[in-house]
Amino acid sequence: MKYIYPKLLFICLAFAIYCNNKSDETKDQSNLGQTNRYSLLVQRGAFHFDSFKIVKNKISHIPGISSNFETATYNENSQTFLDSLQTLGFFKKLEAQGFWNLKTHYGSETSCNSQLIVTLTTNGKSKTVICDDYQTDCPELIKYIEKKVVELEGNDLKRIYLPG
C-alpha cells in the first residue's frame, strides 16, 4: 500500500507535464496558423521595378524584368527564412498602426516619381495602397514597410536609383 501513493504521484506528475507541453505546442501551432493567413507584397517603381513578398516564414525578392544593376544581389531572386513569431509581430504592428485605415492612393504633384505599391492580405481581406512618389507623398507607415522588408530580406537592397 505504501508504494501505491508514490507511483500514483509519479503518474499524475507525468500526466501534468505532458498536458503542459501539449498546450505549448498548441499555442505554437496557433501562432503559426495566424502567420499563414498573412501575406505582404511590396512593389517598387522608378528604376528598380522589383518586389518583395512575405508569406508564412519566408521573404522573397523578385527583381524587375530588366534589372541590370552593378550589384548582383539586385538582379537575383532570393529567399530568406524568417522567424514566424517575428513575422506575425510585424503584421500585427502594421494593423495596429492603421494600415487598414490608409487611403488606397496617394497622388503626387511631381513629374519624376518613384512609385511604391503595398498589398496586405489576411483572412480573405486585402488592401492595396499605391503611392505615386514614396519620398514625398507617402504615409510614414508605407515608408516603414519598405524599409522593414529590405531589412528582413537581408541583402541591403535599398533604393539606389531615384528619379529627378
Side-chain angles (χ1 to χ4, degrees):
M1 183 78 164
K2 66 180 181 179
Y3 294 111
I4 292 176
Y5 292 113
K7 288 180 183 176
L8 186 58
L9 180 62
F10 176 75
I11 290 171
C12 290
L13 181 62
F15 183 71
I17 290 171
Y18 171 78
C19 288
N20 187 41
N21 287 343
K22 207 59 166 156
S23 69
D24 287 347
E25 289 174 13
T26 303
K27 287 178 195 170
D28 290 346
Q29 290 298 323
S30 173
N31 286 337
L32 188 58
Q34 286 182 357
T35 306
N36 289 343
R37 292 184 287 205
Y38 285 94
S39 71
L40 180 73
L41 178 64
V42 176
Q43 299 168 283
R44 301 191 296 188
F47 301 105
H48 289 268
F49 297 106
D50 60 355
S51 59
F52 298 87
K53 185 166 187 168
I54 299 178
V55 291
K56 298 180 186 177
N57 64 339
K58 177 175 63 176
I59 183 168
S60 303
H61 171 250
I62 301 102
I65 283 182
S66 61
S67 287
N68 192 18
F69 293 99
E70 290 178 20
T71 308
T73 53
Y74 283 88
N75 303 320
E76 300 169 351
N77 287 322
S78 70
Q79 288 187 349
T80 303
F81 290 94
L82 307 170
D83 176 79
S84 296
L85 291 177
Q86 178 187 17
T87 304
L88 180 60
F90 173 56
F91 289 136
K92 294 290 187 181
K93 181 176 182 175
L94 299 183
E95 290 182 312
Q97 290 188 355
F99 182 86
W100 301 113
N101 299 324
L102 294 173
K103 296 189 303 185
T104 57
H105 185 254
Y106 293 87
S108 178
E109 299 297 319
T110 61
S111 60
C112 293
N113 293 330
S114 54
Q115 192 175 58
L116 181 61
I117 303 171
V118 176
T119 303
L120 178 63
T121 304
T122 182
N123 297 329
K125 178 177 172 181
S126 184
K127 181 170 190 168
T128 298
V129 177
I130 301 169
C131 295
D132 288 343
D133 188 358
Y134 97 99
Q135 282 188 304
T136 58
D137 299 309
C138 201
E140 289 301 315
L141 180 58
I142 300 300
K143 291 179 185 180
Y144 164 76
I145 291 170
E146 181 191 22
K147 181 179 174 187
K148 187 66 175 179
V149 297
V150 168
E151 176 187 313
L152 290 171
E153 194 275 336
N155 283 317
D156 199 32
L157 299 175
K158 297 174 184 164
R159 289 181 191 245
I160 52 176
Y161 300 116
L162 293 171

